[in-house]
Amino acid sequence: TCALPIIEECSSISRQQIVELVASLRSQHIGDRENTELALLLTRLYQALLPLTPNLVLSVRGKQKEKDSCSLAEVSALVKKEAEDMFNIWISSKLSQFSTSLFSLTSTAGSFLTSLPAWDKVTISETGDSGQEINSIISIPPSPSLPLITSLLSLASTIHRSHPSSFPQSLLSPTSINVVQTILSHYSTLSTQTLTQNVALQLLFDLHFTQTLLVSRDTKDQFSTTLSTLLSSLETNIDPFDLSVFSPHLHSRVKKAAARCVSGLGCLVPADRVAIISSYKISTTTTQDSHNILCVEPQPCPRFQLLPLSTASLSKVSAKAALSSAHLQLPLLVGQAAVDAKKTAAGKTDKSPAHQTAASFFGSMPWFGTNS
């Protein structure tokens, strides 16, 4: 009878101490906003607090079962919410650094000279008015602009160092959405300015790359209107004929770039996009992009190559196959097959030159084969 009040009092004290601990850590962290790594450390602490302390769980829930314990449910909800808040503080600082790095891509001439990667040269054939075939060379962007891909890789590397597999999926999905929003916001500013055709082509590539890699099925409706508006705005800076010629080559290189970057940016790529991008069939490397060492090989080399078979080995294999097939014949046909084999061998022997010479020699001797 005395144990029940003690258990209830222990449960109440344990719950109160956890609430005070959370409040104390939050107040200390608010005064040190610059130390974002502390927020990630507190996220780990809240994630492991209950799973790694079973005795604390027993003390909080008291006499009630785990499913029916209101105290345990309250503490679990508090710890989970605090972990999400700390993670959001940490990821917000990283997204701020991502925005700063991305905003280095401006509309000034000097910025674009340092932002554009080396372009691929593609030879296309056209038929002139006289019916003569004309070959021309066009340049196509093969990869995202340097500020975009550098900012994405830097953010992904930071998240990878923090072991994103331990983060709940509900925390990583909003991060990918915030990244897309930041990119679209900056490119909306760039699209309102007067751009050269080459710059517009590169920005067009960047938007298609972002849409292919980072926009999931669930967020497609959220970004479709903004993306369509931005793409239309950028296409106005490109000659319509050139756009019709460049578009097929541009889209194929967008898929190649997405397949190349899906592993490095894996923590930012939605789960449904990983399967789709991995299924892209990359065309065989051609002469115009043979200098690119990052091309995706469509048929990777197996770990162990098959050894070639010699001619003698092939003949042995054929003989074994013939013997195996002979054993599969019906019993009644085995004798007939043997007779046919002897007749065939005899026929081959009769046709040999040595046998014909011997037969003519002994046939010219009248005494050979007679009984005297």
Side-chain angles (χ1 to χ4, degrees):
T1 56
C2 297
L4 185 58
I6 296 176
I7 294 176
E8 292 179 353
E9 185 66 20
C10 289
S11 175
S12 176
I13 294 175
S14 300
R15 182 176 68 255
Q16 182 179 357
Q17 289 298 319
I18 293 176
V19 172
E20 292 179 358
L21 173 65
V22 170
S24 175
L25 291 175
R26 171 175 280 273
S27 62
Q28 294 177 14
H29 177 68
I30 290 177
D32 190 13
R33 284 283 182 174
E34 295 181 358
N35 188 5
T36 56
E37 297 303 322
L38 177 60
L40 183 61
L41 180 62
L42 292 177
T43 301
R44 301 293 190 198
L45 172 64
Y46 294 136
Q47 283 182 321
L49 181 60
L50 295 181
L52 297 183
T53 54
N55 291 329
L56 179 61
V57 173
L58 291 175
S59 177
V60 170
R61 81 182 189 188
K63 66 174 183 177
Q64 297 177 342
K65 295 182 179 180
E66 186 173 356
K67 296 181 180 179
D68 303 330
S69 177
C70 297
S71 300
L72 182 59
E74 179 184 350
V75 170
S76 299
L78 174 64
V79 170
K80 181 180 179 181
K81 182 180 181 301
E82 196 67 18
E84 293 179 355
D85 292 344
M86 291 295 107
F87 177 80
N88 289 331
I89 293 174
W90 177 77
I91 199 62
S92 295
S93 66
K94 303 307 175 184
L95 288 174
S96 177
Q97 297 175 7
F98 169 77
S99 301
T100 304
S101 176
L102 181 63
F103 288 170
S104 62
L105 177 61
T106 62
S107 59
T108 60
S111 172
F112 282 122
L113 286 177
T114 58
S115 301
L116 299 182
W119 286 18
D120 288 343
K121 295 186 180 299
V122 181
T123 303
I124 60 174
S125 300
E126 299 174 327
T127 304
D129 297 336
S130 61
Q132 185 180 3
E133 185 177 354
I134 302 174
N135 294 329
S136 57
I137 299 177
I138 61 174
S139 297
I140 302 293
S143 60
S145 60
L146 297 182
L148 175 61
I149 192 62
T150 302
S151 302
L152 287 173
L153 288 174
S154 177
L155 176 61
S157 299
T158 302
I159 298 177
H160 275 305
R161 286 195 297 267
S162 303
H163 306 289
S165 59
S166 62
F167 295 144
Q169 188 63 30
S170 59
L171 299 180
L172 290 178
S173 297
T175 303
S176 180
I177 295 175
N178 291 332
V179 169
V180 177
Q181 289 176 343
T182 303
I183 295 174
L184 295 183
S185 175
H186 182 54
Y187 278 62
S188 297
T189 304
L190 295 176
S191 64
T192 59
Q193 303 172 7
T194 303
L195 305 172
T196 62
Q197 178 166 305
N198 288 345
V199 173
L201 272 174
Q202 183 63 62
L203 298 182
L204 198 66
F205 185 100
D206 292 352
L207 287 179
H208 282 299
F209 175 81
T210 303
Q211 183 180 17
T212 302
L213 194 65
L214 301 178
V215 179
S216 65
R217 187 185 302 108
D218 299 332
T219 59
K220 183 178 180 180
D221 296 336
Q222 178 181 352
F223 298 117
S224 59
T225 303
T226 306
L227 279 169
S228 300
T229 304
L230 287 176
L231 292 175
S232 300
S233 178
L234 292 175
E235 289 174 355
T236 58
N237 297 280
I238 306 173
D239 183 80
F241 176 76
D242 291 343
L243 181 62
S244 63
V245 175
F246 293 165
S247 291
H249 303 283
L250 187 73
H251 289 299
S252 63
R253 280 161 174 76
V254 167
K255 290 184 178 181
K256 182 183 293 187
R260 186 186 304 147
C261 298
V262 68
S263 298
L265 303 177
C267 59
L268 300 176
V269 180
D272 61 330
R273 298 304 303 171
V274 174
I276 296 175
I277 296 172
S278 300
S279 65
Y280 287 158
K281 295 182 179 180
I282 308 301
S283 59
T284 306
T285 304
T286 55
T287 55
Q288 58 263 20
D289 56 4
S290 58
H291 64 279
N292 193 344
I293 63 173
L294 295 178
C295 289
V296 180
E297 179 62 30
Q299 296 179 352
C301 180
R303 185 173 178 83
F304 297 105
Q305 293 278 3
L306 295 177
L307 297 176
L309 296 176
S310 62
T311 306
S313 300
L314 290 174
S315 62
K316 291 180 180 180
V317 172
S318 301
K320 290 181 179 180
L323 291 174
S324 300
S325 61
H327 287 301
L328 295 177
Q329 301 294 330
L330 294 175
L332 296 177
L333 299 180
V334 173
Q336 184 65 30
V339 173
D340 293 341
K342 290 180 180 180
K343 287 182 178 181
T344 303
K348 292 182 179 179
T349 305
D350 292 341
K351 294 180 181 179
S352 63
H355 187 275
Q356 292 177 358
T357 303
S360 62
F361 172 76
F362 288 113
S364 63
M365 301 297 179
W367 49 266
F368 183 76
T370 59
N371 294 327
S372 55

